[in-house]
Amino acid sequence: MGAGGPDETGARDRNPAPTDPSAPSPASSSLPPPAAEIAAGYGFTGPAMELGALLWDGQCLPDAPIRIPLSMLNRHGLVAGATGTGKTKTLQLIAEQLSANGVPVFLADVKGDVSGIASPGKPGDKVAERSAQVGQDWEAAGFPCEFYGLGGIGPGIPLRATVTSFGPVLLSKVLQLNQTQEQSLGLIFHYADSKGLELYDLKDLKAVVGFLVSDAGKPELKGIGGLSSATAGVILRSITAFEQQGAESFFGEPEFDTSELLRSAPDGRGLVSVLELPAVQDKPQLFSTFLMWLLADLFQKLPEVGDVDRPKLVFFFDEAHLLFSGASKAFLESITQTVRLIRSKGVGIFFVTQTPKDVPGDVLAQLGNRVQHALRAFTPDDAKALKATVRTFPNSPYDLEELLTGLGTGEAVITVLSENGAPTPVAATRLRAPQSLMAPMDAAALDAAVKSSVLYGRYAEPVDRESAFEKLSAAEQAREAASVQAALDTPPAPSGKGAGRPRKQDASLAEQVVGSGIFRSLARSVGTQLGREISRSIFGTRRR
């Protein structure tokens, strides 16, 4: 029986015999021997995505396609290269083919130039030239997209997370806390969880921190370590500075359901979720950590599926160096664990950055698919990074140091995992041209796409439910009211001279109470709470 052919029952062999790499195919028989050997390493039998054509000895060889098996895209990958070498277009090319194969994609659009994936590309001389060089049958096409924005800043459906689900480790990374402060923040979260104090937004967190260092709250943590006023002050100042950057809109409700990222379009193509980040690109710690939250949340929700024919989702993590810069040990351990284990849940992650050294070794070891664009060697540090990058590749017939500094835009050195999990030969590749628009989508069209989405009505308007802030405010009001009542109930001190003037004494006591700071604070609190409830009733924004 031939490999993969039907047996006597008419069923196909589920485990076809592997092809002999040394046996020349009609296409590879005309290639130079080293090129033919490389091309044979990319002759996969199952579904695969076309990346481009082999470059050998200065020539582009369209008969030697460079591909990546669809089943290996949950083994994670790295797209690296200097600025301006074509990393973004590589993301676009891979995302298009994933979508066409029914795989949902998540893209972080840091510079604002990936939104064009929703619109058909424009034919032109450059596209025609590239297509002819790599043997691509190019046809303009747009792909189904959803557009998101962090907290509603900039275009896109607002993405929000509650402070509770974000967690102390990720939040400590955003707030740039040290290890001791991170541990204290973990203690604060633990207390809030144990007492039913919901941490939906940043004002909830500030209320809990403030309470735990107040006279009423200090005894609460005595049994589990306590919280120093100095540490609480650092945390509160960090939160306040974070709010002043506009971050308060990122935390709250309605919280985004990450399962929305796993949807497909009605025609069966995978939905491309594009997170528009240009409006917050000056807050790199925030958006990089928020992306990590998305992954962590998916990890918690998705079931184990093991090896699959195609991934459930492929996640592109742009500007990945921002995620790891200044990260605590706990944060790095969390990332490493997520990357290592999320593969078995059918999710692939591609980190996108300038050099492999931007990614910690434990994470880099999990990235089996590599697309390395050109590197520069203008400085001693550049030269050191170049040598380090070369050492991360398998042995190859190329002089990689020379090759990596001489690649043109839209060219890359590639090695991926074959269908049996072994690394493919290193291949210099001229990449295909994306079929969608290689420019930002028109602003009016983008706005229309956002507002026509079925998700817009679900996530556009923020919701402010009763949570820690309101509960602690109510408790404080009750304590103040009890203090006032105690003062009113205190009998006047006996005095011979004043025995005949009880009314004056009573009036004097009332004046003292009304004039006290406690009474004024209570009046303000009651007035504010009453005003908030009245205004919410009028404008339809009452808590659910």
Side-chain angles (χ1 to χ4, degrees), residues 252-266:
E253 293 189 301
E255 183 173 75
F256 181 68
D257 182 355
T258 52
S259 62
E260 307 280 14
L261 303 177
L262 303 173
R263 295 180 299 137
S264 296

Side-chain angles (χ1 to χ4, degrees), residues 78 112 187 226 372 375 398 418:
L78 176 73
L187 190 64
Q372 177 67 60
L375 291 173
Y398 296 100
S418 65

Side-chain angles (χ1 to χ4, degrees), residues 67-200:
R67 312 157 73 216
I68 180 170
L70 199 59
S71 61
M72 289 293 111
L73 280 164
N74 69 330
R75 302 298 179 92
H76 310 321
L78 176 73
V79 179
T83 302
T85 55
K87 296 191 298 294
T88 301
K89 298 300 172 275
T90 298
L91 304 190
Q92 196 167 338
L93 173 67
I94 297 175
E96 289 177 352
Q97 294 190 61
L98 285 167
S99 175
N101 280 280
V103 178
V105 178
F106 181 91
L107 286 173
D109 187 10
V110 176
K111 297 183 289 292
D113 52 3
V114 182
S115 60
I117 195 170
S119 303
K122 294 180 179 179
D125 293 342
K126 289 186 177 180
V127 170
E129 180 183 8
R130 176 59 63 99
S131 301
Q133 290 172 348
V134 301
Q136 177 184 9
D137 185 14
W138 189 88
E139 183 179 347
F143 294 82
C145 290
E146 289 278 15
F147 296 97
Y148 299 98
L150 281 188
I153 295 182
I157 298 162
L159 290 189
R160 300 182 187 88
T162 63
V163 170
T164 292
S165 68
F166 210 73
V169 174
L170 287 177
L171 193 58
S172 295
K173 175 68 165 62
V174 174
L175 298 177
Q176 300 180 33
L177 303 181
N178 63 28
Q179 185 176 359
T180 300
Q181 294 154 3
E182 180 179 326
Q183 291 170 348
S184 295
L185 189 61
L187 190 64
I188 293 164
F189 272 71
H190 170 75
Y191 174 79
D193 289 341
S194 65
K195 296 298 183 181
L197 298 172
E198 299 86 354
L199 302 177
Y200 292 145

Side-chain angles (χ1 to χ4, degrees), residues 104 112 141 168 237 248 250 253 292 302 307 354 368 383 406 421 427 452 459 500 533:
R237 287 192 295 273
E248 71 275 5
F250 305 137
E253 293 189 301
M292 198 63 219
L302 291 175
D307 291 328
Q354 296 202 1
S452 64
Y459 295 108
E533 294 300 330

